[in-house]
Amino acid sequence: MEAIEGVAIIILVIAIVILIYYYLMNSPETTSKLRGYIPKTADAHVNEILSNDSGYELAKADEVAPKESDSVGKRIKVKLSDIDMSGLNTDVFSKKIDSFLDEKSDQLIKDWCLATTEDLNELESKFTQTTGKVDTLEKSFDEFKKSSEEFQKVTEEKLDDLDKRIESLENK
């Protein structure tokens, strides 16, 4: 069960990352702020990703080599407090995730062979029935055992009586 939970968490994290990515790419305010945070030493494909419509230019080859004294933190200069979070509505985001899970929940349950509360209730009732039947069988077995012991005693007595009669006949 732990592996399934891990896979489910990974899928949810990937879905959240994809939704955040699409939100950031479709929000012009956030895109313009991201351009300001990306260093000139960034990958050559950044302009393609952030759509080439701004005055942002990549650094020249001689500017790309960072100074040894510059730290990664100084080159990136990203602060979470500087990112505008007013446009990010977590309620809408949560509703989208909930609606996606509601749409796909039956398929996920079927594909991953997950148990629902209905399944658990059904299993619990079957367990209760089985427990009752086992108790009844145990009582019946105990009764049979008692009657069997009595039968064995009676049979042994009869056999002893027959042995005595056979011995008395042999001795005559």
Side-chain angles (χ1 to χ4, degrees), residues 31 35 44-58:
T31 306
R35 280 193 188 101
H45 298 289
V46 170
N47 266 346
E48 294 173 16
I49 294 171
L50 296 177
S51 68
N52 245 342
D53 60 354
S54 75
Y56 182 78
E57 295 179 11
L58 293 176

Side-chain angles (χ1 to χ4, degrees), residues 8-57:
I9 290 171
I10 290 172
I11 289 172
L12 286 175
V13 168
I14 290 172
I16 290 170
V17 169
I18 289 171
L19 288 173
I20 290 172
Y21 170 78
Y22 280 113
Y23 171 76
L24 291 176
M25 289 297 111
N26 291 326
S27 173
E29 302 158 353
T30 310
T31 306
S32 64
K33 283 198 176 208
L34 283 175
R35 280 193 188 101
Y37 292 130
I38 297 175
K40 291 187 177 186
T41 60
D43 189 13
H45 298 289
V46 170
N47 266 346
E48 294 173 16
I49 294 171
L50 296 177
S51 68
N52 245 342
D53 60 354
S54 75
Y56 182 78
E57 295 179 11

